Amino acid sequence: MSLTWNEIQRVVFPQDADPDVISLYVDADVWAKVGDREVRVSDRAHLDDLLARDRFRIGAGERVSFASYFNAFPASYWQQWTNVDRIRLIVETSGEGTLLVYRSTAQGVPQRVASEPFTDTMLHEIELPVTTFGDGGWYWFEVVAGDHEVVVGGGRWETDAPELRSGGASIGITTFNKPDYCVRTLDALAADTTVRDMLDRVYIVDQGNQRVRDEAEFESVAERLGDTLSLIEQPNLGGSGGFARSMAETLEAGDSDFVILLDDDVTIEPESIARAVRFARHTTRPMIVGGHMFDLLNRPVLHAFAETVDLKPFVWHAQPHDEVPHDFRFSNLRQTRWMHARMDADYNGWWFCLIPTEVVRSIGLSLPAFIKWDDAEYCLRARDAGYPTVTLPGMALWHVSWLDKDDSIDWQAYFHARNRIVAALLHSPYDDGGLLTRDSERWDLKHLLSMQYYPVTLRHRALRDILSGPNHMQQGMATILGELRAAAADFPEKTVLRDDHEIPMTVEGKRVYPVPTGTSGPKGPRGTRLVWFTLQMTARQWFTRPAPRNVTEPQVELSKRDGTWFRLPHFDSALVSTADGSGKVRYTRDPETFRRLLRESRRLHREIKRRWPELAREYRAALPEITSPEAWSEHFTK
C-alpha cells in the first residue's frame, strides 16, 4: 500500500531584499565560543544568494545551516498537539557537497541524525520520527558545499499522518485608518497560490474614515482575489468589534473550518498562514493556534514566545520573562538554548491567531471590550470549554511594536483597567479576585505620584462601570471612545508641546532644568525601601503644596525613559518626552486632586473586592448573551 505524504511546512526565503531578515530564514554565520556565550565572528549570507522564494546558493567550501526561525521544524509542538508521529524532509541540491540533518533536545543540544553526500542534482528524501520531543526540540538541515557552489531548492517537510480536518480558512482583518497596510497584506495573500488555495474568504472590516477602497492599489488587488475578498464598512467598535464581525461573517457563510484574525498594521509572511491551517488540520482536538510577533520597525526582533496569564494578580506575561524581546541578529536558533524547550501558552494575541469555527460556535464571539484583554479573555474562555491555545514557532508576522506607545496613560487606560478586571471576574479562580484589586490600586498610586491624573480618572470610570453590571459593555460601545477622548480636555497634562515657543524658557531664553540629586537611578526601590519611599512620597503629595515658581514653569525636564513613577514624585512639575519622541508633556502637582483621587481609588477598589462574588456571578451569567452574534449584530449595522 503506497503512502500519501502531504506538505506541512515549506522551506522559504525572504520575499524582499531586506538584509535584516536573512537571519530569520538562514543561519549562514560563523559563531565562536567566548566565555559562556556564542558570538558571531563572520557573516556568509548575502542578498545575491537568495535566488528565489525557494532557492538559496551556498558558496564553494562554505557551510550553511537552515536552523532558523522560519525554516527549522518545531517537532515538539507537532508531537504534543497533533497526530503526526513521523515526517519526511524533501530537499533538492545541485552541486557537490553533503546534506546534514540535526535534531535538538529540549536543552538546545544538537544531535546529528542523518548525513547524505551528493554530486550533481539530487533529490533527498529523509524520514524522521516525531516521537522523542516531549519537552522540546527541533529538526533542521545544513549543507556543506564542496569545491563548487551548491544551490538548495524545493525544500519542504511532509507527513503521512491523515488530516483530521480538511476545511479551509477565512481571514478577518480589522482596520482603522491603515488602508496602505491592508492593501499590502492583500497583495501578499494574492501572490501566494498555496495560501490562496486554503482561503475561503478574506474579510476586511474597515472602521476608519480613510477607506481601504480608496487606496490606489486596492482595485487591482481586489480583482486578483475576486469573490474571495469581502470589504465591510462599519462604525468603529474597536478591535473586538472588528474581529467579532469577522467571526460572525465566517459562521454565517458556513464554508470554513477556521477563522484567522490579523491586525491591520502588519507585514505578513504568507507561509505562516499555510502553516497555521496545516497544523490546525492535524491537531488531535480543536484548538486555537497563534503566531508570534516580530517588530515591524526592527525586523529581527521577536517580542514574545508564549503569552501567559498569572491568575493571582491577573496580569499577562510574555514568556520567558528575561529573554524577550529577542534579537536574532545576535543569537540565532542554534545559539538560543531556551528556544528549544516547548513553551505552552495561555493565550495568543490577535495580531495573528487561528480559531476553529467549532470553537466560535461553542463559546461565542469576542467580548465587547473595544480593545485590550479581548484576546486573552477569549483564549481563557476557550480553555474553560476544553479548547487549548498553542503558539506555534515558525508562524509569525511583523507588527508595529507597543514599546513606543503611551497607551497606559492615554484614553486606553480605561480599557486596560476595565477589561482586566472583567476578564478576572469571568475567569479568576479566587473568590475575592486574588491580588488583583491590590495591584490595581497600586497602579493608581503610581500614576498619582507621577502627577498623571487623567489615566486615574479614566480608571475610576472603568471601576464604576464594572460595578454597574455587565450590560454596560454592549450599551456604551459606540460612544465610549469619544467620551474618553473628550475628557482629556480637562487635563493640561494631555496637551503635547511640540514647538519651542510652547515650552517655558527660564534662564536667558534657554530651558535649564537641573535634576536634583538623589532622584536618579536605573531601577525603582525594592523591599523596605519601597515601603519607605511610598509613605514618604504619599505624605509629600498629600500635605505639601508645590512651590509657586514650579507651577509657573517646569521644575525639571526628563526623557521618557527617566520619567518613571519613582523619579517624578520628587518634583512639583516636570516636562517629560512622549514615547514616540514627537513632543513633551507637562505634569504639575495638584495636592487637592491627588487627595480626591486617592480617596476614590481606595473606595472603589474596596467596593470591587467586597462585591467580587456577586459581580463574578453576574458577569459569568451574562457572558453568553453579551458575546452572542445576536447581541453583536445590533452594532454592526448602526
Side-chain angles (χ1 to χ4, degrees):
M1 178 179 176
S2 61
L3 298 175
T4 300
W5 290 84
N6 296 310
E7 177 181 284
I8 53 176
Q9 179 174 315
R10 291 179 291 176
V11 175
V12 295
F13 303 109
Q15 292 181 296
D16 52 12
D18 185 346
D20 285 341
V21 302
I22 292 180
S23 61
L24 302 181
Y25 297 83
V26 176
D27 185 355
D29 301 330
V30 177
W31 301 79
K33 197 82 169 178
V34 177
D36 60 349
R37 296 177 61 245
E38 288 193 65
V39 298
R40 186 175 60 182
V41 295
S42 69
D43 182 356
R44 291 177 174 174
H46 306 284
L47 290 176
D48 55 6
D49 292 326
L50 304 175
L51 304 181
R53 176 73 163 146
D54 64 345
R55 298 178 72 230
F56 186 85
R57 177 173 55 212
I58 301 169
E62 294 185 353
R63 176 172 181 160
V64 170
S65 174
F66 296 88
S68 61
Y69 177 84
F70 280 118
N71 282 327
F73 183 80
S76 63
Y77 293 81
W78 284 84
Q79 177 176 321
Q80 174 70 11
W81 300 110
T82 76
N83 65 338
V84 171
D85 59 10
R86 67 172 178 172
I87 58 173
R88 183 171 68 175
L89 170 65
I90 304 290
V91 63
E92 182 181 278
T93 54
S94 298
E96 179 188 357
T98 304
L99 175 76
L100 306 169
V101 180
Y102 288 84
R103 62 154 289 169
S104 64
T105 67
Q107 293 74 38
V109 177
Q111 300 172 342
R112 196 166 82 184
V113 296
S115 175
E116 286 191 359
F118 58 87
T119 56
D120 297 324
T121 299
M122 180 175 176
L123 183 66
H124 305 266
E125 299 184 6
I126 302 174
E127 292 187 19
L128 302 162
V130 183
T131 54
T132 57
F133 294 88
D135 294 329
W138 301 63
Y139 276 122
W140 69 85
F141 67 94
E142 302 184 6
V143 175
V144 181
D147 294 335
H148 303 283
E149 71 178 28
V150 170
V151 174
V152 176
R156 61 192 182 274
W157 305 86
E158 301 178 339
T159 184
D160 62 344
E163 291 182 341
L164 303 179
R165 294 158 211 87
S166 58
S170 290
I171 289 180
I173 301 173
T174 299
T175 184
F176 182 83
N177 293 344
K178 298 287 194 311
D180 50 343
Y181 282 100
C182 286
V183 170
R184 285 202 294 270
T185 297
L186 293 176
D187 181 64
L189 297 175
D192 194 308
T193 56
T194 298
V195 173
R196 284 190 61 182
D197 289 343
M198 297 179 172
L199 298 182
D200 300 314
R201 302 287 290 180
V202 178
Y203 298 104
I204 299 289
V205 183
D206 193 343
Q207 303 185 137
N209 50 36
Q210 299 173 28
R211 295 299 191 184
V212 174
R213 56 179 158 80
D214 296 329
E215 190 68 11
E217 303 299 322
F218 174 73
E219 288 190 11
S220 172
V221 175
E223 184 177 350
R224 289 159 59 201
L225 288 171
D227 293 339
T228 304
L229 178 64
S230 180
L231 182 62
I232 300 168
E233 296 177 354
Q234 69 177 28
N236 183 16
L237 305 176
S240 65
F243 290 132
R245 183 65 180 271
S246 294
M247 293 176 179
E249 294 288 338
T250 302
L251 289 184
E252 185 175 350
D255 298 326
S256 302
D257 279 357
F258 316 102
V259 57
I260 298 174
L261 308 181
L262 295 179
D263 257 342
D264 55 353
D265 50 348
V266 303
T267 294
I268 186 70
E269 166 51 79
E271 167 64 9
S272 296
I273 301 288
R275 292 179 187 180
V277 174
R278 287 166 170 161
F279 186 87
R281 286 174 174 172
H282 282 278
T283 57
T284 53
R285 52 178 162 160
M287 63 183 61
I288 296 172
V289 182
H292 290 141
M293 188 196 88
F294 284 88
D295 190 337
L296 185 61
L297 304 180
N298 193 10
R299 297 186 71 189
V301 175
L302 177 70
H303 274 279
F305 202 74
E307 303 277 1
T308 60
V309 176
D310 185 346
L311 293 177
K312 190 117 189 188
F314 217 87
V315 294
W316 51 38
H317 291 296
Q319 295 283 13
H321 297 292
D322 300 328
E323 303 291 350
V324 290
H326 175 79
D327 193 333
F328 279 85
R329 283 172 295 202
F330 304 112
S331 182
N332 215 311
L333 180 63
R334 289 183 298 168
Q335 296 77 39
T336 311
R337 293 201 168 189
W338 64 261
M339 204 172 287
H340 294 256
R342 194 192 76 245
M343 295 189 187
D344 297 332
D346 292 328
Y347 76 98
N348 198 93
W350 280 355
W351 53 74
F352 182 11
C353 192
L354 175 148
I355 304 173
T357 50
E358 176 181 336
V359 174
V360 181
R361 283 192 295 270
S362 172
I363 71 171
L365 310 185
S366 169
L367 188 73
F370 199 85
I371 57 170
K372 305 301 178 187
W373 279 94
D374 45 359
D375 45 15
E377 187 282 325
Y378 197 88
C379 291
L380 292 176
R381 195 191 329 163
R383 185 177 67 182
D384 291 345
Y387 305 108
T389 294
V390 55
T391 299
L392 183 65
M395 172 182 156
L397 49 64
W398 290 268
H399 185 287
V400 175
S401 167
W402 54 73
L403 296 182
D404 293 330
K405 297 181 179 180
D406 280 328
D407 65 1
S408 68
I409 59 175
D410 66 8
W411 55 268
Q412 297 178 69
Y414 171 89
F415 298 108
H416 275 292
R418 185 194 67 172
N419 297 340
R420 174 190 178 192
I421 295 177
V422 168
L425 287 167
L426 294 169
H427 304 292
S428 174
Y430 300 99
D431 293 338
D432 59 356
L435 301 177
L436 190 156
T437 53
R438 187 178 77 179
D439 187 69
S440 177
E441 192 172 354
R442 186 168 66 231
W443 272 102
D444 276 2
L445 181 57
K446 284 183 177 181
H447 286 305
L448 290 174
L449 291 176
S450 303
M451 303 171 281
Q452 296 165 348
Y453 305 122
Y454 173 70
V456 177
T457 300
L458 299 193
R459 287 171 57 84
H460 290 177
R461 172 172 176 167
L463 299 186
R464 286 190 288 270
D465 285 348
I466 291 169
L467 290 165
S468 73
N471 289 338
H472 84 274
M473 299 191 72
Q474 281 282 3
Q475 292 170 350
M477 193 159 36
T479 59
I480 184 64
L481 178 57
E483 294 169 4
L484 299 178
R485 284 177 164 167
D490 298 329
F491 296 86
E493 69 195 67
K494 296 311 298 176
T495 300
V496 179
L497 310 175
R498 304 186 190 278
D499 300 322
D500 278 348
H501 72 272
E502 296 178 305
I503 302 174
M505 304 296 179
T506 59
V507 179
E508 296 179 356
K510 299 179 180 179
R511 297 202 305 272
V512 180
Y513 307 125
V515 180
T517 59
T519 66
S520 60
K523 295 182 178 180
R526 297 289 187 273
T528 56
R529 290 184 60 242
L530 175 59
V531 175
W532 173 244
F533 171 86
T534 302
L535 292 172
Q536 182 183 36
M537 290 300 155
T538 300
R540 178 180 184 272
Q541 298 267 0
W542 188 285
F543 294 110
T544 69
R545 300 191 62 81
R549 176 178 177 178
N550 294 338
V551 174
T552 304
E553 59 192 35
Q555 183 181 357
V556 69
E557 182 174 0
L558 299 172
S559 67
K560 174 64 180 176
R561 180 187 65 255
D562 294 329
T564 60
W565 62 269
F566 52 87
R567 297 195 68 187
L568 285 171
H570 291 278
F571 310 113
D572 292 336
S573 58
L575 281 175
V576 180
S577 301
T578 58
D580 63 4
S582 65
K584 302 179 185 300
V585 294
R586 179 174 173 175
Y587 298 115
T588 304
R589 191 160 67 86
D590 184 339
E592 182 178 346
T593 300
F594 177 88
R595 291 190 291 266
R596 174 175 57 82
L597 291 177
L598 190 59
R599 289 192 191 101
E600 183 70 352
S601 176
R602 185 64 173 157
R603 184 189 72 80
L604 288 169
H605 284 98
R606 280 183 172 178
E607 183 72 1
I608 292 280
K609 194 171 186 69
R610 183 183 69 81
R611 292 182 55 192
W612 190 273
E614 166 202 343
L615 290 169
R617 287 193 298 271
E618 289 182 12
Y619 278 83
R620 293 179 190 193
L623 183 62
E625 168 60 26
I626 64 175
T627 61
S628 67
E630 294 76 20
W632 271 107
S633 64
E634 298 178 11
H635 300 283
F636 296 155
T637 55
K638 288 181 179 178

